[in-house]
Amino acid sequence: RPELFSWDKVTKMSPVERLEHAFSIAKNHLGIEKLLDPEDVAVQLPDKKSIIMYLTSLFEVLPKQVTMEDIREVETLPRRYKQECEDGEFNMQQAVALEEEQGSSRADTPSTVTEVDMDLDSYQVALEEVLTWLLSAEDAFREQEEISSDVEEVKEQFSTHESFMMELTGHQSSVGSVLQAGNQLVAQGNLSPEEEFEIQEQMLLLNSRWEELRVESMDRQSRLHDMLMELQKQQLQQLSDWLTVTEERIQKMESQLLAEDLESLQKQLEEHKSLQSDLETEQVKVNSLTHMVVIVDESSGESATALLEEQLQRLGERWTAVCRWTEERRVKLQEIQLLWQELLEEQCLLKAWLTEKEEALSKVQTSNFKDQTDLSVNVRKLAILKEDMGMKRQTLDQLNELGQDVAQILGNGRASAKIDQDQEELTQRWDSLVQKLEDYSNQVTQAVGSVGMSQVSQKTAAETPPLKEQVAVKQSRQELPPPPPPKKRQIPGDSEAKKKFEAESAELLNWISKSKSAIQATDIKEYKKMRETSNMKEKLKVIEKERVEKSQKLDELKRSGHILLDQMGKEGLSTVDIKSVVEKILSGWKDVVQHLEETARKIKYQEDINAYFKEISELEKTLIEKDGWLKNDATSASQPSAVRKDLCERELTHLVSLSPRLEHLKATCKALTSQPMPPDFIQESLNGFLDHFKLTRQKLEECHQRLKKETESQPSQDYVDSLRRLKDMLSELECKQLSIASGLSDPGKVEKALQQAKTVYETLEAQKPRLDKLAEETKALEKHASLDIKNVYTQEFKHVQGHWDKLKLKISKDVKLLEEITSKLRIFEADSKVVQKWMDGVKDFLMTEKAVQGDTEGLQRHLDQCT
């Protein structure tokens, strides 16, 4: 009778609701009383005899499409033929082997029936075992979830159902044995018509339930198979599509020239990191494909498996090629970045050094010398400059080589031209400085000759040769006699203190220039929502450590500079150069400190932004979980409204408890946006999150109010529990009532049965107050509950009340009947004693001599006593 219910609605019910629904339909449409309660059936081990009794009642009224002739025909077939007729649905040997390896989730039910010495008791035991297993198997099958659309979940479902099918196959022989045993009992002809009919009905029930479970299991296995293969094909196709898009993306990246400048190179690195991130995300799906389930059946065969393996191999090769190219390009880009940064830093340092030397050369005096001391100071400056340039020449050559390496790796015409232009500019400045140094040396030599200072002229000529003859210059300086010392004072320009000052000042200026370049490379030019700052902090930490070390040298330099300035002031010499160097060092030092502080402030600001967006991300994740709960609650109504209301209240309470974190988030946003020129995305992200939070909270509050109204319109839990306990009590009393009338063979048992019946009656009467209270609550429920709920509980209460009245009537009749039987048995027992006594007297009389001699009068007298 499939028209009696909607299967779609039934699948959404809980087990207890499905049982109640089935019992109600059976009563309303088939006339079968509710002999069972859903709570008693929906347990792990329900009462076997009650289940069999109810199912027998069902089969008495349902149409019987399977006849005993059909069952006998199947059971008389050879075993091999029966396996072939099952259309390949079970592979018995393989299934049994797998079951021995894996074990069974439920207890085995080996049949206790044999083909010889068959009796009804052994058949009933085997039938109960098989039905118990069959019922548990049906429950296990019904409890399996609907086929998912997620490939991993379908794999797990397929594995679970495969184990279930193996167990089903392993118990097939037990079912066949029971059916065969029933046929043998019927064939023996030793049963009463009632017993034979009962066995036939039981076999029909068993065979029908078994076939239904087997067909549904095979259908689910087929659907799981189709779904799994379809999802895996989709997964393969998605990977293929992703690889196609990624390969096109790689071709586009390969076709583009490498960056023209370091900033563009950084963008290419970010783009490559995005590709790597996508690759890592896709790696999860690729790992899933390594555990791919391939199902081989007669329809697909080995060709489909070979085709799938070939497709997997091609995808694996494409995946490997993409991963290899990504790694190689990452290494190449990082190598270029390091070399380019080194090139720019060295160029910056060399430019600063050339600027310093150009300024020093511009301060050298080439004419109008006051005296020999003034001339000697300027000659010494020219000699120091030539020595420094000779030492720095190797740096220029190394820089040219590094530039050529970077340009060769880049392969970008514009970038190479820019690098060559920078290198050419440095070379031109170098050559210009060399030329100026040669011109100044010649001018000093001419000035010396014009004033007739031959000795000084010889020294000047010896100390100002071309740079390429530097070694010869040093030798000639050692051979020439030193200039005559002044008569009154020593020349500071030739002192060791000034040499030390110049060397230390050059070292500090070099460090300042290098530190500025390093800080500039570390500086944050644009803030982001999330940025890694650990490398930046490490670089700043190194620079700060060097600054602390150099601060001691700066203090020593300032002290030695002051001493040198005092000494030169006392001697009446010019202190402009020394002051200029000190001021330049102090100014550069101040710039480094300011840049360090500013960069550290920016890094701290970026870290605050990181923490801010991390907090937003965690809260956003919580909101997504709440949205998911709302979505699941809207599509699932299997739980009672009261339970759903409590769950909704818990979710809402948890969401409200986030308010302190929201206030902290707002305060953080206010602090971040109060900084100079804050990024716009800080406030925008907070506004978007607050809108989401407000919407989710509103939805939860609406859901809570709706569930609260539903709960108020439904009966209380006490009402439901009281109704359930009353139903249980009535079922228990009914069982006791049924057991009272069995085995009444003597007056003692009748007396005991009468006492039990009275006890049951008293217990039943004791439930009358509870029944009356339920009646009042049911009437109150009719005023507030919806029509559907009111009908359900009104009908259920009427059923309980009818059960109570019916049971009371039965027990009353039993008590009355037992009382009549008891009184009659007592009369019968007294009469039996009188008769027995008379028989004993007659027996004694017959043994006497008078009776032997024919005492007819005495015998007649005894007979008159009996009547």
Side-chain angles (χ1 to χ4, degrees):
R1 303 285 296 277
E3 73 280 358
L4 297 181
F5 63 91
S6 172
W7 182 251
D8 294 334
K9 294 183 180 179
V10 171
T11 56
K12 297 178 182 179
M13 296 180 182
S14 65
V16 175
E17 291 173 340
R18 287 200 297 269
L19 288 167
E20 180 63 33
H21 179 259
F23 293 159
S24 299
I25 288 182
K27 179 181 179 182
N28 297 333
H29 297 279
L30 303 178
I32 300 176
E33 289 295 331
K34 284 189 177 180
L35 304 177
L36 301 173
D37 290 326
E39 293 80 3
D40 297 333
V41 179
V43 295
Q44 188 174 4
L45 293 175
D47 184 66
K48 304 174 187 178
K49 294 183 179 179
S50 300
I51 297 294
I52 293 174
M53 179 179 63
Y54 189 79
L55 292 176
T56 303
S57 301
L58 273 175
F59 270 85
E60 288 178 356
V61 297
L62 290 174
K64 303 174 179 56
Q65 299 177 354
V66 181
T67 63
M68 287 303 299
E69 286 74 19
D70 296 332
I71 297 177
R72 293 191 184 97
E73 182 180 356
V74 173
E75 291 301 320
T76 54
L77 291 176
R79 185 65 176 173
R80 179 179 60 81
Y81 179 77
K82 283 191 291 184
Q83 289 182 351
E84 292 175 356
C85 290
E86 288 170 359
D87 297 328
E89 294 174 342
F90 288 101
N91 187 333
M92 294 297 293
Q93 294 180 355
Q94 180 181 3
V96 173
L98 286 172
E99 186 177 4
E100 290 176 355
E101 293 177 4
Q102 299 177 357
S104 174
S105 61
R106 287 173 289 276
D108 293 338
T109 57
S111 177
T112 57
V113 181
T114 58
E115 296 186 0
V116 295
D117 299 332
M118 182 58 54
D119 56 59
L120 185 59
D121 292 338
S122 59
Y123 165 78
Q124 290 292 346
V125 171
L127 177 65
E128 288 186 6
E129 291 177 355
V130 170
L131 283 177
T132 300
W133 169 82
L134 186 59
L135 291 171
S136 64
E138 287 175 339
D139 289 341
F141 179 76
R142 300 288 182 263
E143 289 173 1
Q144 293 184 17
E145 298 178 355
E146 287 296 323
I147 298 177
S148 174
S149 58
D150 181 75
V151 64
E152 296 300 323
E153 293 179 1
V154 175
K155 285 180 182 179
E156 184 176 353
Q157 289 177 339
F158 185 84
S159 176
T160 301
H161 190 68
E162 189 177 22
S163 301
F164 177 79
M165 292 296 293
M166 293 300 102
E167 182 181 356
L168 210 62
T169 305
H171 288 84
Q172 187 179 13
S173 59
S174 300
V175 176
S177 299
V178 171
L179 293 175
Q180 185 178 4
N183 285 329
Q184 290 178 4
L185 284 173
V186 173
Q188 288 173 1
N190 298 328
L191 302 174
S192 65
E194 292 79 8
E195 292 174 337
E196 183 176 348
F197 176 77
E198 182 180 359
I199 289 176
Q200 289 175 349
E201 293 295 326
Q202 290 170 350
M203 288 193 295
L204 283 172
L205 168 65
L206 176 60
N207 184 72
S208 176
R209 297 296 288 271
W210 164 258
E211 284 299 317
E212 181 182 358
L213 179 61
R214 188 178 66 85
V215 171
E216 289 180 357
S217 300
M218 292 300 299
D219 178 65
R220 178 178 174 84
Q221 186 182 42
S222 177
R223 288 187 289 114
L224 280 170
H225 175 194
D226 296 339
M227 177 61 75
L228 182 56
M229 295 304 293
E230 181 63 27
L231 289 175
Q232 290 184 148
K233 287 178 182 178
Q234 291 178 7
Q235 200 174 20
L236 289 176
Q237 186 61 42
Q238 289 173 0
L239 177 59
S240 178
D241 295 341
W242 183 89
L243 285 173
T244 301
V245 174
T246 304
E247 287 165 351
E248 293 175 356
R249 184 176 173 186
I250 288 174
Q251 288 178 359
K252 184 178 179 181
M253 294 170 70
E254 282 183 331
S255 63
Q256 295 176 352
L257 295 175
L258 290 176
E260 298 179 2
D261 51 37
L262 193 59
E263 184 177 355
S264 301
L265 180 64
Q266 185 64 33
K267 291 182 179 179
Q268 288 185 340
L269 273 170
E270 293 295 330
E271 183 181 1
H272 192 77
K273 287 181 180 178
S274 175
L275 176 61
Q276 281 185 303
S277 177
D278 294 343
L279 208 64
E280 292 171 358
T281 303
E282 197 68 20
Q283 180 69 50
V284 179
K285 301 178 182 178
V286 174
N287 293 339
S288 174
L289 287 176
T290 58
H291 303 89
M292 190 172 182
V293 177
V294 180
I295 304 169
V296 181
D297 54 19
E298 296 178 358
S299 60
S300 59
E302 296 182 357
S303 59
T305 305
L307 184 63
L308 194 59
E309 290 178 353
E310 182 181 355
Q311 186 180 2
L312 281 172
Q313 184 176 1
R314 288 198 303 269
L315 289 176
E317 292 172 354
R318 291 172 65 188
W319 172 262
T320 304
V322 169
C323 293
R324 186 186 302 112
W325 182 90
T326 305
E327 180 63 21
E328 291 174 354
R329 183 174 176 83
R330 181 189 66 81
V331 173
K332 182 178 180 180
L333 289 177
Q334 288 182 348
E335 181 184 1
I336 294 173
Q337 184 188 34
L338 292 175
L339 289 176
W340 210 341
Q341 284 181 346
E342 182 181 358
L343 175 64
L344 293 178
E345 290 175 0
E346 293 297 331
Q347 284 180 344
C348 185
L349 292 175
L350 184 58
K351 287 179 182 179
W353 186 86
L354 287 172
T355 302
E356 178 188 352
K357 298 306 175 186
E358 287 169 351
E359 293 176 358
L361 183 60
S362 65
K363 296 177 182 179
V364 174
Q365 188 177 354
T366 59
S367 60
N368 301 325
F369 300 109
K370 296 178 181 180
D371 51 24
Q372 185 179 3
T373 302
D374 193 11
L375 176 63
S376 179
V377 169
N378 288 279
V379 169
R380 171 62 63 183
K381 290 181 179 179
L382 291 173
I384 291 174
L385 282 173
K386 287 187 177 182
E387 289 181 6
D388 291 345
M389 293 191 69
M391 296 171 61
K392 206 69 175 179
R393 179 67 196 184
Q394 184 179 3
T395 302
L396 180 64
D397 296 337
Q398 291 176 352
L399 201 59
N400 287 327
E401 293 178 1
L402 182 59
Q404 292 175 2
D405 293 340
V406 174
Q408 183 178 0
I409 296 175
L410 283 173
N412 187 314
R414 293 186 179 180
S416 300
K418 181 68 170 59
I419 293 174
D420 293 340
Q421 182 181 352
D422 294 341
Q423 293 296 106
E424 184 65 25
E425 180 183 347
L426 288 173
T427 303
Q428 289 178 0
R429 289 184 63 183
W430 178 274
D431 294 339
S432 175
L433 185 60
V434 170
Q435 186 62 41
K436 286 182 181 180
L437 189 58
E438 292 292 340
D439 293 343
Y440 278 29
S441 299
N442 293 333
Q443 291 175 15
V444 171
T445 302
Q446 291 175 4
V448 171
S450 64
V451 296
M453 296 181 180
S454 59
Q455 187 175 10
V456 176
S457 175
Q458 292 175 3
K459 181 176 182 180
T460 303
E463 290 184 350
T464 58
L467 287 176
K468 59 184 179 180
E469 300 175 359
Q470 183 180 357
V471 178
V473 171
K474 292 182 180 180
Q475 294 177 352
S476 64
R477 275 179 23 198
Q478 294 175 358
E479 294 173 358
L480 288 176
K487 296 179 180 180
K488 296 183 180 180
R489 61 185 181 272
Q490 183 180 3
I491 301 176
D494 291 337
S495 67
E496 293 296 330
K498 187 174 182 182
K499 288 183 180 180
K500 183 178 179 182
F501 174 81
E502 291 175 346
E504 291 178 351
S505 62
E507 180 183 353
L508 275 175
L509 285 171
N510 186 23
W511 178 83
I512 289 172
S513 177
K514 185 176 180 181
S515 297
K516 285 182 178 179
S517 300
I519 294 172
Q520 185 178 4
T522 310
D523 191 19
I524 297 176
K525 299 177 180 60
E526 182 181 1
Y527 294 108
K528 297 182 179 180
K529 292 183 179 181
M530 293 298 293
R531 183 198 296 269
E532 178 59 40
T533 59
S534 57
N535 292 335
M536 300 178 182
K537 292 175 67 176
E538 287 297 326
K539 290 180 181 179
L540 284 191
K541 188 177 180 181
V542 172
I543 297 174
E544 178 64 24
K545 184 178 179 181
E546 292 177 354
R547 187 190 69 81
V548 174
E549 295 174 354
K550 296 294 183 182
S551 62
Q552 299 178 357
K553 293 186 179 181
L554 178 64
D555 295 338
E556 294 175 0
L557 186 68
K558 288 193 289 186
R559 287 195 296 269
S560 62
H562 286 308
I563 294 172
L564 193 59
L565 287 172
D566 293 341
Q567 186 175 356
M568 292 178 68
K570 291 178 182 178
E571 298 294 335
L573 299 177
S574 175
T575 59
V576 176
D577 294 342
I578 302 298
K579 289 181 178 179
S580 176
V581 171
V582 172
E583 290 175 357
K584 184 176 182 180
I585 290 175
L586 292 177
S587 176
W589 183 272
K590 184 178 179 181
D591 290 342
V592 169
V593 173
Q594 289 179 349
H595 289 164
L596 268 176
E597 293 175 352
E598 180 64 18
T599 305
R601 184 193 67 80
K602 289 183 177 180
I603 292 175
K604 177 64 170 59
Y605 189 62
Q606 180 64 60
E607 288 180 338
D608 293 341
I609 292 176
N610 291 348
Y612 172 75
F613 276 97
K614 182 179 180 182
E615 180 72 10
I616 288 182
S617 177
E618 292 177 356
L619 292 172
E620 188 70 32
K621 184 178 179 181
T622 303
L623 292 184
I624 292 173
E625 291 176 355
K626 305 303 179 191
D627 292 339
W629 185 89
L630 284 168
K631 183 178 179 181
N632 293 333
D633 180 72
T635 57
S636 175
S638 59
Q639 292 180 319
S641 298
V643 176
R644 293 166 58 202
K645 181 183 76 68
D646 293 340
L647 292 175
C648 183
E649 187 174 356
R650 186 181 65 184
E651 297 291 333
L652 183 59
T653 303
H654 179 248
L655 191 65
V656 173
S657 67
L658 299 179
S659 298
R661 295 177 66 179
L662 257 65
E663 295 301 323
H664 177 263
L665 198 65
K666 292 177 183 178
T668 304
C669 177
K670 185 176 180 180
L672 290 174
T673 52
S674 64
Q675 298 294 325
M677 299 181 66
D680 295 335
F681 57 76
I682 294 178
Q683 186 65 49
E684 292 173 356
S685 299
L686 179 63
N687 293 339
F689 169 75
L690 292 177
D691 292 341
H692 189 188
F693 182 89
K694 183 179 179 181
L695 180 61
T696 302
R697 180 172 179 175
Q698 181 180 354
K699 289 181 179 179
L700 278 174
E701 289 174 348
E702 292 174 355
C703 179
H704 182 260
Q705 290 296 327
R706 176 175 52 81
L707 292 174
K708 185 178 180 182
K709 290 181 180 178
E710 290 182 6
T711 304
E712 291 174 352
S713 65
Q714 291 182 352
S716 64
Q717 188 64 36
D718 292 339
Y719 174 85
V720 176
D721 293 341
S722 180
L723 188 63
R724 179 182 55 80
R725 288 195 296 270
L726 183 58
K727 288 166 64 178
D728 294 342
M729 177 64 71
L730 292 177
S731 299
E732 182 181 351
L733 293 176
E734 186 175 22
C735 292
K736 291 181 178 179
Q737 183 267 333
L738 291 174
S739 63
I740 288 174
S742 61
L744 302 180
S745 57
D746 56 67
K749 291 183 178 181
V750 175
E751 289 283 348
K752 185 177 180 182
L754 179 59
Q755 289 300 120
Q756 291 177 352
K758 289 181 178 180
T759 303
V760 170
Y761 184 82
E762 292 172 358
T763 306
L764 187 64
E765 281 294 327
Q767 303 303 316
K768 189 66 169 60
R770 181 188 296 181
L771 187 66
D772 295 339
K773 183 180 179 182
L774 285 174
E776 295 176 0
E777 292 179 355
T778 305
K779 289 181 180 179
L781 184 64
E782 292 176 356
K783 298 178 182 179
H784 303 288
S786 61
L787 182 61
D788 295 339
I789 297 175
K790 179 177 67 175
N791 291 338
V792 170
Y793 283 97
T794 301
Q795 184 179 2
E796 187 170 3
F797 175 75
K798 287 181 179 178
H799 169 71
V800 172
Q801 190 173 29
H803 194 184
W804 189 88
D805 294 337
K806 184 178 178 181
L807 188 59
K808 180 181 178 181
L809 181 61
K810 287 182 179 180
I811 296 176
S812 299
K813 291 181 179 180
D814 289 346
V815 170
K816 185 176 180 180
L817 179 62
L818 288 172
E819 287 176 347
E820 293 178 358
I821 293 174
T822 302
S823 62
K824 290 180 180 180
L825 281 176
R826 287 174 179 171
I827 295 172
F828 174 78
E829 188 176 13
D831 292 343
S832 297
K833 290 180 179 179
V834 172
V835 172
Q836 184 65 40
K837 183 178 180 182
W838 174 81
M839 290 180 65
D840 293 340
V842 171
K843 185 178 179 181
D844 294 338
F845 171 75
L846 293 174
M847 296 298 296
T848 60
E849 183 178 354
K850 290 182 179 181
V852 175
Q853 294 176 358
D855 186 1
T856 57
E857 294 180 357
L859 182 59
Q860 185 62 43
R861 189 171 55 254
H862 281 286
L863 288 174
D864 292 339
Q865 291 177 356
C866 178
T867 58

